[in-house]
Amino acid sequence: MSPWQRTIPVLLLALVSAGVAPARADTSHHPVTIARARTLPLGTVVTVEGTATTPSGAFESSFFDKGFAIQDRSAGIYVSVATDLRVTPRARVRATGTLRDSSGLRVLVPDTPAAVRVRGTGPAVPPKRLATAAVNETTEGLLVRVTATITRAPESDLPYGHKFFVDDGSGELTIFVNTQTGIDLTGLAVGRRVGVTGFSSQYDTHYEIDPRFPADITVR
């Protein structure tokens, strides 16, 4: 160990004794991974980068904004903005905002549209294949896919959208379809086997998948 290495603990002890806390990493200007951002306290200002997995405003009827989701190699998060920034899947996005809770869902809320920058095209993000019971807090923010049997037929939850329920034998899961997606649920009856891709979300105490486009629901 060098003399300098031996000195570091002494300097840190001196700072703490003097009431001076060691400097923390600046999460407001220097990007952190989305997984790291998700561990920080609500109210923290962070900058993250990722590839968009949902288009702007696809969930407006229930999220009450024109936001979108982004994902990096570590995790995903929803970026809540009031302005339609015309973000489409595979857009490479850097966003600075405050971590907030929205009915159980952790979101990033930029102060202004200028705090969101689109920087070309990112890599394709394949959905993570999961059992229905595995859609939970640990998958929140990710693009996911389940293959399961419809246990409860589509029902109206207007003006927010429609919902139906699926189960692959591991546990029942809510599929929530927002009105902006234009997804036609005709023919989705109990007993039909379907594949569903979408945003792993949470509302209140339950978890759900929110499809983005008509192609996100396939009948088997």
Side-chain angles (χ1 to χ4, degrees):
M1 181 182 291
S2 70
W4 169 243
Q5 288 173 311
R6 288 195 296 270
T7 303
I8 291 174
V10 176
L11 290 173
L12 290 173
L13 180 61
L15 286 170
V16 172
S17 300
V20 179
R24 294 183 177 180
D26 181 3
T27 59
S28 62
H29 295 92
H30 301 289
V32 298
T33 65
I34 297 175
R36 166 65 175 152
R38 295 187 65 88
T39 67
L40 298 174
L42 296 177
T44 303
V45 176
V46 298
T47 296
V48 294
E49 290 184 341
T51 300
T53 55
T54 75
S56 291
F59 308 143
E60 185 176 1
S61 58
S62 59
F63 283 38
F64 309 112
D65 64 16
K66 297 182 184 296
F68 54 91
I70 62 172
Q71 189 173 322
D72 63 14
R73 291 184 177 182
S74 69
I77 197 165
Y78 187 80
V79 181
S80 177
V81 290
T83 302
D84 185 356
L85 300 179
R86 300 186 182 280
V87 172
T88 57
R90 290 200 66 183
R92 186 71 183 169
V93 178
R94 173 183 280 203
T96 299
T98 305
L99 295 170
R100 304 288 188 198
D101 178 86
S102 176
S103 300
L105 179 69
R106 177 156 294 213
V107 301
L108 183 71
V109 185
D111 286 338
T112 67
V116 178
R117 286 181 285 174
V118 178
R119 299 178 159 191
T121 303
V125 178
K128 183 174 184 178
R129 295 181 178 273
L130 298 171
T132 51
V135 178
N136 55 35
E137 189 69 29
T138 64
T139 66
E140 186 181 290
L142 296 176
L143 184 67
V144 301
R145 182 171 177 81
V146 298
T147 300
T149 300
I150 297 174
T151 53
R152 284 188 267 174
E155 59 188 62
S156 173
D157 195 15
L158 293 173
Y160 314 109
H162 291 75
K163 59 185 177 182
F164 63 99
F165 298 82
V166 299
D167 193 341
D168 63 1
S170 65
E172 194 174 60
L173 174 68
T174 303
I175 308 299
F176 192 88
V177 180
N178 288 267
T179 58
Q180 286 76 22
T181 62
I183 297 174
D184 182 4
L185 302 180
T186 303
L188 295 187
V190 172
R192 297 297 298 270
R193 191 159 178 80
V194 293
V196 181
T197 298
F199 177 70
S200 179
S201 188
Q202 179 180 356
Y203 177 72
D204 197 13
T205 60
H206 76 267
Y207 299 96
E208 62 188 37
I209 293 179
D210 299 343
R212 309 156 297 167
F213 318 106
D216 279 342
I217 299 179
T218 56
V219 179
R220 303 240 169 159

